[in-house]
């Protein structure tokens, strides 16, 4: 059975809008990595510590998965991971190197100035970054979409996103518009693919 790990203000949601649902052998995980775009020896000295901890955790998880599959080749145990706040250049390189060494596919929006990354043990067929049109702040907010294919040819969509922070009850206009954009992307699904959201929606208490 798929394992779902959720953190505070992080959301994993599955929308089985296609004709077939995802099998229960995929582990979906979302991380707000909180890796700032600063030097490891600057005003945020624990960025290096957080990076090391994240790399160690991911490496251990992926080694465990690899061992299980080796012990039982018939076992289907796939992982799809969404990341937010991967701003630090060195952390980006190290994460991508780790995933490559473990045979994972990746998609990211780093060249678009965003903080988003998706890693998958299943092939990523294509990816696209959808920028929020009403962005009024420094961070380039948006939604990273990846089309992922299972061995049987079934495809599904994985989205990761990091919305603006709403620290008031209810929704401020910027946050509301971003949530509406996410809903629009989920609804626009001409191929009726199953859809998974891996996101930090920065939602305050309501």
């Amino acid at each position: 059975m798929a394992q779902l790990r959720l953190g505070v203000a992080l959301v994993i949601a599955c929308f089985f809008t296609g004709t077939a649902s995802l099998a229960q052998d995929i582990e979906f995980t979302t991380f707000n990595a909180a890796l700032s775009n600063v030097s490891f020896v600057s005003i945020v000295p624990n960025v290096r510590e957080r990076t090391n901890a994240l790399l160690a955790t991911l490496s251990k998880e992926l080694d465990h998965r690899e061992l299980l599959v080796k012990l039982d080749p018939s076992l289907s145990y796939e992982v799809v991971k969404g990341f937010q706040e991967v701003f630090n250049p060195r952390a980006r390189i190290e994460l991508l190197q780790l995933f490559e060494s473990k045979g994972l596919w990746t998609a990211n929006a780093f060249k678009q100035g965003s903080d988003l990354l998706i890693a998958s043990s299943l092939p990523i067929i294509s990816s696209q970054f959808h920028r929020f049109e009403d962005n009024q702040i420094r961070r380039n907010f948006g939604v990273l979409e990846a089309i992922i294919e299972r061995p049987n040819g079934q495809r599904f969509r994985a989205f990761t996103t990091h919305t603006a922070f709403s620290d008031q009850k209810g929704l401020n206009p910027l946050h509301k518009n971003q949530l509406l954009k996410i809903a629009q992307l989920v609804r626009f699904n001409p191929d009726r693919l199953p859809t998974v959201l891996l996101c930090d929606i920065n939602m305050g208490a309501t």
Side-chain angles (χ1 to χ4, degrees):
M1 186 172 183
Q3 299 178 17
L4 302 183
R5 302 180 182 179
L6 287 74
V8 177
L10 301 180
V11 174
I12 299 178
C14 297
F15 300 90
F16 298 122
T17 54
T19 55
S21 65
L22 297 179
Q24 297 299 306
D25 54 3
I26 305 177
E27 178 182 271
F28 296 100
T29 317
T30 186
F31 296 84
N32 184 317
L35 300 175
S36 304
N37 187 19
V38 296
S39 168
F40 286 121
V41 294
S42 70
I43 58 173
V44 188
N46 62 340
V47 171
R48 178 71 264 173
E49 296 174 8
R50 291 202 305 274
T51 302
N52 288 342
L54 179 59
L55 290 169
T57 298
L58 291 170
S59 182
K60 183 177 180 180
E61 289 181 356
L62 295 173
D63 286 344
H64 178 66
R65 170 187 172 271
E66 184 178 359
L67 176 62
L68 290 177
V69 174
K70 284 183 177 179
L71 291 174
D72 184 359
S74 66
L75 178 67
S76 180
Y77 178 17
E78 307 294 350
V79 295
V80 177
K81 300 179 180 293
F83 297 84
Q84 309 85 36
E85 288 199 19
V86 186
F87 289 113
N88 191 278
R90 183 174 169 184
R92 290 176 173 180
I93 292 172
E94 292 177 337
L95 280 169
L96 293 175
Q97 288 176 338
L98 172 65
F99 293 138
E100 182 179 6
S101 70
K102 302 299 182 182
L104 271 64
W105 282 259
T106 59
N108 66 73
F110 299 156
K111 291 184 178 179
Q112 290 81 10
S114 184
D115 57 328
L116 303 174
L117 167 67
I118 294 174
S120 171
S121 61
L122 294 166
I124 296 177
I125 305 303
S126 63
S127 63
Q128 183 177 0
F129 178 63
H130 308 272
R131 193 182 304 278
F132 293 138
E133 298 174 358
D134 59 354
N135 184 23
Q136 300 295 321
I137 55 180
R138 291 178 64 186
R139 185 181 298 157
N140 290 302
F141 283 103
V143 180
L144 177 62
E145 173 187 2
I147 305 297
I148 300 173
E149 186 172 81
R150 295 176 55 78
N152 62 5
Q154 180 194 13
R155 295 183 177 185
F156 62 94
R157 304 186 301 171
F159 291 100
T160 188
T161 187
H162 188 196
T163 66
F165 182 60
S166 177
D167 60 355
Q168 57 183 291
K169 290 190 176 182
L171 300 175
N172 62 46
L174 176 60
H175 197 204
K176 180 179 179 180
N177 287 339
Q178 292 179 354
L179 293 178
L180 290 173
K181 175 65 174 181
I182 296 170
Q184 180 185 34
L185 290 171
V186 170
R187 286 196 302 266
F188 183 74
N189 188 8
D191 295 326
R192 296 186 58 78
L193 298 179
T195 301
V196 181
L197 277 181
L198 308 163
C199 58
D200 180 349
I201 59 172
N202 262 324
M203 194 73 174
T206 56

